Amino acid sequence: LEDTATALPLKGKRALVTAGPTHEAIDPVRFIGNHSSGKMGYAIATTLERLGAHVILVSGPTNLLPPHNVTKLAVQSAAEMFAACKAEFEHADIIVMSAAVADYTPTEVADQKIKKKAEDFSIALKKTTDILATLGREKRTDQTLVGFALETNNELEHAIDKLQRKNLDLIVLNSMQDKGAGFATDTNKITIINRAGDIESYDLKSKEDVAKDICARIIEHQNAV
Ligand code: CTP
Ligand code: CA
């Protein structure tokens, strides 16, 4: 007989995962975006579901099919992503924010297509709400909150700072140093840091296998709360 407790360690748990980029509208035909494919977040949602969790995936625009048995909430902007996360947060035991959320959004959205005129042109931007930091302030001790960090310099120092500042349980540092890691690739090289200050570096692997490593650490944390 199959031991379901081992096979489905997250049975009865609810998970909230964000993935993909956000699109910040400039006018009806243009936006500010980034190169996030959403692959990492979708792989995490897939793995959490296979481990038995009930998964809500809040996704920015991607070309990916929603994972089997996962509830996908499609959003465009950082503001929409924030609203969806705020509504789902209190019901979630596990929260993984892998989306590449825009840090700035146009101060105003033009209602008509902006016409080209002068040689120089600039758009006023304002900061978006830091979704992860906001959830970190509201976090309960029975919740596992996981964030990502993408850094190009002083990687560890910046990641540890984000972990502390945003009140996270785990932070996944995406290494940009290695070829084949990061945006729009099928592989990633990560380091996971926890609140105790343990730093674990993993080999370059497929995003599916990276998702398994991250989920193993999530299970470990959930078992401890
Ligand atoms: N994040 C978020 N909401 C934002 C910006 C970021 O929830 N408005 C989350 C991301 O999903 C990620 C984490 O914060 O899990 C870190 O994102 P990152 O861009 O590395 O950090 P920032 O705090 O935005 O700092 P900076 O871009 O200046 O390095
Ligand atoms: Ca950022």
Side-chain angles (χ1 to χ4, degrees):
L1 222 80
E2 196 181 72
D3 181 355
T4 49
T6 329
L8 297 175
L10 295 177
K11 198 173 160 65
K13 303 285 185 187
R14 297 178 67 97
L16 169 64
V17 180
T18 67
T22 65
H23 284 184
E24 309 301 321
I26 295 170
D27 71 13
V29 296
R30 304 182 178 99
F31 62 83
I32 299 171
N34 62 67
H35 289 296
S36 170
S37 66
K39 278 179 192 160
M40 195 60 248
Y42 277 58
I44 291 168
T46 301
T47 307
L48 289 170
E49 192 279 330
R50 286 187 188 148
L51 291 165
H54 177 278
V55 182
I56 309 260
L57 174 63
V58 177
S59 175
T62 71
N63 293 320
L64 305 172
L65 289 171
H68 182 67
N69 251 338
V70 163
T71 305
K72 175 174 161 176
L73 305 178
V75 298
Q76 296 283 323
S77 64
E80 285 172 21
M81 186 170 277
F82 179 48
C85 289
K86 226 174 136 58
E88 298 298 333
F89 177 68
E90 62 174 314
H91 310 294
D93 302 289
I94 297 157
I95 305 100
V96 185
M97 304 271 107
S98 55
V101 186
D103 291 334
Y104 291 92
T105 193
T107 308
E108 282 170 8
V109 183
D111 16 306
Q112 306 296 335
K113 183 186 166 199
I114 299 168
K115 301 299 286 178
K116 73 180 158 207
K117 282 179 220 129
E119 281 302 317
D120 298 310
F121 178 68
S122 54
I123 301 170
L125 303 175
K126 59 173 195 260
K127 247 192 202 166
T128 57
T129 303
D130 191 318
I131 304 168
L132 184 59
T134 306
L135 301 184
R137 286 191 287 273
E138 295 172 15
K139 186 169 75 82
R140 302 185 307 263
T141 50
D142 61 300
Q143 290 175 308
T144 304
L145 183 60
V146 185
F148 277 72
L150 185 67
E151 311 291 347
T152 54
N153 64 300
N154 299 28
E155 294 185 300
L156 275 177
E157 190 188 319
H158 285 301
I160 292 167
D161 176 62
K162 275 177 196 167
L163 171 91
Q164 291 172 344
R165 203 157 33 84
K166 303 195 189 196
N167 193 30
L168 312 180
D169 298 296
L170 299 170
I171 192 152
V172 181
L173 170 62
N174 261 321
S175 186
M176 295 288 288
Q177 315 294 50
D178 292 74
K179 268 219 184 101
F183 279 175
T185 63
D186 290 323
T187 51
N188 242 356
K189 168 114 183 64
I190 61 157
T191 299
I192 300 180
I193 307 158
N194 66 10
R195 285 169 91 85
D198 303 321
I199 299 170
E200 183 145 358
S201 291
Y202 297 82
D203 293 336
L204 181 75
K205 0 182 140 175
S206 70
K207 287 185 176 172
E208 286 70 30
D209 285 342
V210 170
K212 286 180 192 163
D213 288 336
I214 295 168
C215 291
R217 299 296 300 276
I218 290 171
I219 292 168
E220 190 184 280
H221 185 266
Q222 272 291 297
N223 287 339
V225 299

